[in-house]
Amino acid sequence: MTKQNAQPCRLYVNGAILGYKRGLRNQYNHTSLIKIKGVDTKEESKFYLGKRIAYVTKVSTPGGKNGSKFRVNWGRVCRSHGSNGVVKCKFARDLPPQSIGGRVRVMLYPSNV
């Protein structure tokens, strides 16, 4: 494939943050529930087990590596939740409450195919 005809390759699938793992009275902030776009069954969600997740936020003051205007909180898909394709994820730092309803990127690596 030549450079002129090369299509951009997207290495992630979009997901939505539904909330935290919880019971009737208790909430566990260390585990987040994520709905992955296009995944509607427990069997389809098995493909994403172990995949990395990125929660990207903008920063008011550029800094960090290379003066980036973004911060990334990395996480990993732990297991499925229910039968509708929702997955449980653990992040390096717990997601903030204002992230609920927001978007994440579910990376298609590491591959276990």
Side-chain angles (χ1 to χ4, degrees):
M1 190 183 263
T2 63
K3 211 167 199 175
Q4 298 161 342
N5 300 344
Q7 292 287 333
C9 183
R10 186 169 52 96
L11 293 176
Y12 65 90
V13 176
N14 289 320
I17 302 169
L18 301 181
Y20 302 118
K21 172 185 163 184
R22 57 169 296 168
L24 184 61
R25 293 169 186 85
N26 296 329
Q27 174 174 291
Y28 303 96
N29 299 340
H30 55 75
T31 306
S32 300
L33 301 177
I34 308 289
K35 175 68 174 143
I36 303 172
K37 186 176 181 182
V39 178
D40 295 323
T41 64
K42 184 178 269 194
E43 287 71 33
E44 292 173 357
S45 68
K46 287 181 181 175
F47 170 80
Y48 292 95
L49 297 183
K51 299 286 191 274
R52 299 192 69 193
I53 294 188
Y55 173 64
V56 182
T57 53
K58 285 188 179 179
V59 190
S60 58
T61 58
K65 292 183 182 176
N66 305 324
S68 175
K69 295 179 181 176
F70 299 97
R71 280 196 191 127
V72 182
N73 187 0
W74 287 99
R76 206 172 275 277
V77 177
C78 299
R79 56 175 294 181
S80 62
H81 174 80
S83 59
N84 281 342
V86 176
V87 293
K88 293 182 184 181
C89 306
K90 290 200 175 191
F91 286 83
R93 291 176 180 82
D94 296 347
L95 291 181
Q98 64 263 31
S99 70
I100 295 175
R103 298 282 172 239
V104 290
R105 295 178 177 183
V106 182
M107 302 299 173
L108 296 177
Y109 55 82
S111 174
N112 53 10
V113 176

